[in-house]
Amino acid sequence: MGDDDTGPAMSRHEFSVAYLGKDRVDDHSIDVQSLAPALLAFGRLLREANSEFNGKKSTAKVLVVSDFEHKCFNINFELVVGLYEQVKQLLATEQMQSAKNVLEWVGIVAGPPVAVTGTYLGYLKWRRGRKIESVKPLIDTDKTGMVEVRIQGDGNAVHIHQHIHKLSENPKALRATRDAFLPLGHDGFDTVQLKEGETVIDEIKEDDVEHIVASCNIGLEEAKEIEPEIEVTPAWLSVYSPVYDERAPSWRFRLGKEIIYADISETSIAHEALQRGGAMVEDAYQVSLQITTEVDANGKKSEPSYKVLEVVRFVAAAPTPKQSTFFDDE
């Protein structure tokens, strides 16, 4: 599928990522502990890129279908960007970027001829972990969006779009970029191919990955604002202990083996439980769960906080004489 708009508010484009290894024996498998973070990382990176290029109110999601090819593990993605009318009005003076444009700027699919450093990934490779001496707007920056970035030491400079520079300062994007390359170095994988259809757009080898990761690390070190890590994930929560006030903003749940407090203030969990006559220990909710982890300047993480964004499904616990409810009959 190309840049196939399904409506005036939607743009989509496909691309592929292949993890290869010249000495691999097993062509059709990959360790899920390496693959899962990489898949999630592409989603986070492209959502951050879309927010940078199209504004915070534009949505993006990444769809994935796995595929297998000789001596590699190939993954087919589709980026879907929501181009809502209210966003267009807010950014009336700026051109909205389609899904294909976002992928071009990141450096995942081919775009108009640009210098190798003109994309986000190309710029990180070029920087090679070196510190920035200065960032200077060019004379016509207001029209072109271009800035000059000069590196400490050798004084080398490059002209890139200000969106690329800002994305390279985004801690969420930088952490996601590192995670996208986690499969390399495991089970014989040593190269990542970025592809559009059957065309190889870029081949990133171990040396390139080292340069990209070094640039991510220095970017995280130089980050002016320390933003929390925010992950939205599907999850099952089961009620752990009674809460007797419908207005209580948080409930205590079991998440796997952990006992957590989760903010339910933007859901109807409490109201619907009251309508059922109460809530029982081990009542279960399939939810969209937001996990927020604060990170300090040294990279130290705090205990995560949890918020239920959406309830997908409710499964009642089997009643027993010992089960207690959340609400009094008063």
Side-chain angles (χ1 to χ4, degrees):
M1 185 184 299
D3 198 18
D4 176 23
D5 291 354
T6 58
M10 197 67 67
S11 174
R12 342 170 50 105
H13 197 80
E14 289 187 354
F15 67 99
S16 298
V17 175
Y19 296 98
L20 301 89
K22 60 181 180 297
D23 298 323
R24 279 182 49 76
V25 176
D26 184 353
D27 300 341
H28 299 154
S29 65
I30 191 170
D31 188 336
V32 68
Q33 290 186 320
S34 298
L35 178 63
L39 294 181
L40 294 172
F42 274 105
R44 290 197 301 270
L45 171 59
L46 292 175
R47 286 194 297 273
E48 291 302 316
N50 181 61
S51 292
E52 174 59 43
F53 304 148
N54 283 324
K56 300 293 184 184
K57 291 187 179 293
S58 176
T59 60
K61 63 180 178 180
V62 177
L63 310 179
V64 61
V65 178
S66 64
D67 191 14
F68 306 100
E69 294 184 1
H70 184 62
K71 287 197 178 298
C72 74
F73 189 92
N74 190 80
I75 307 157
N76 298 325
F77 290 92
E78 183 179 35
L79 173 64
V80 182
V81 171
L83 307 176
Y84 295 103
E85 291 303 319
Q86 60 265 37
V87 181
K88 294 180 181 179
Q89 293 171 8
L90 287 171
L91 303 178
T93 60
E94 299 184 27
Q95 180 181 356
M96 294 297 296
Q97 304 297 326
S98 69
K100 185 173 188 296
N101 295 150
V102 172
L103 293 169
E104 289 171 353
W105 284 56
V106 174
I108 290 177
V109 304
V114 294
V116 67
T117 52
T119 67
Y120 169 71
L121 291 176
Y123 169 64
L124 293 180
K125 281 194 283 186
W126 173 83
R127 186 177 173 183
R128 299 200 304 277
R130 296 173 292 178
K131 292 187 176 182
I132 291 176
E133 179 178 293
S134 64
V135 179
K136 183 176 68 175
L138 298 179
I139 295 175
D140 55 352
T141 293
D142 290 342
K143 293 182 179 180
T144 66
M146 301 296 288
V147 296
E148 179 186 86
V149 179
R150 188 168 297 278
I151 299 298
Q152 289 184 7
D154 56 20
N156 282 344
V158 66
H159 293 176
I160 59 173
H161 198 281
Q162 59 187 343
H163 283 321
I164 300 296
H165 174 60
K166 288 179 180 178
L167 189 61
S168 74
E169 294 183 314
N170 182 324
K172 296 177 187 176
L174 294 171
R175 286 191 287 265
T177 303
R178 292 189 309 188
D179 288 351
F181 297 102
L182 280 176
L184 271 66
H186 295 279
D187 300 325
F189 290 108
D190 55 26
T191 303
V192 173
Q193 279 186 350
L194 303 177
K195 302 195 295 183
E196 187 174 12
E198 297 301 317
T199 303
V200 176
I201 304 304
D202 195 8
E203 191 166 85
I204 303 174
K205 297 184 178 294
E206 287 180 296
D207 288 349
D208 297 323
V209 172
E210 289 181 7
H211 294 157
I212 290 172
V213 171
S215 297
C216 291
N217 290 341
I218 195 66
L220 288 167
E221 182 181 317
E222 293 175 342
K224 297 174 184 177
E225 296 182 6
I226 306 300
E227 297 186 5
E229 294 182 1
I230 300 177
E231 177 186 1
V232 177
T233 183
W236 279 100
L237 300 177
S238 57
V239 173
Y240 181 73
S241 62
V243 175
Y244 293 98
D245 184 355
E246 181 186 353
R247 295 166 298 178
S250 297
W251 279 21
R252 204 174 183 195
F253 294 99
R254 189 188 301 275
L255 173 62
K257 294 183 178 181
E258 292 185 75
I259 308 302
I260 67 168
Y261 281 96
D263 181 347
I264 62 163
S265 60
E266 295 184 9
T267 73
S268 58
I269 288 177
H271 178 70
E272 291 176 359
L274 181 60
Q275 286 189 322
R276 290 193 299 269
M280 301 175 67
V281 173
E282 301 302 340
D283 277 352
Y285 296 87
Q286 181 185 355
V287 302
S288 175
L289 185 66
Q290 178 177 289
I291 306 173
T292 302
T293 306
E294 300 290 340
V295 183
D296 67 18
N298 297 317
K300 184 178 180 180
K301 298 181 180 181
S302 66
E303 289 295 320
S305 61
Y306 302 88
K307 183 175 184 177
V308 178
L309 301 180
E310 179 186 9
V311 176
V312 178
R313 183 184 308 169
F314 168 74
V315 178
T320 70
K322 294 183 179 180
Q323 289 281 20
S324 59
T325 64
F326 273 78
F327 303 103
D328 290 328
D329 294 329
E330 298 177 359

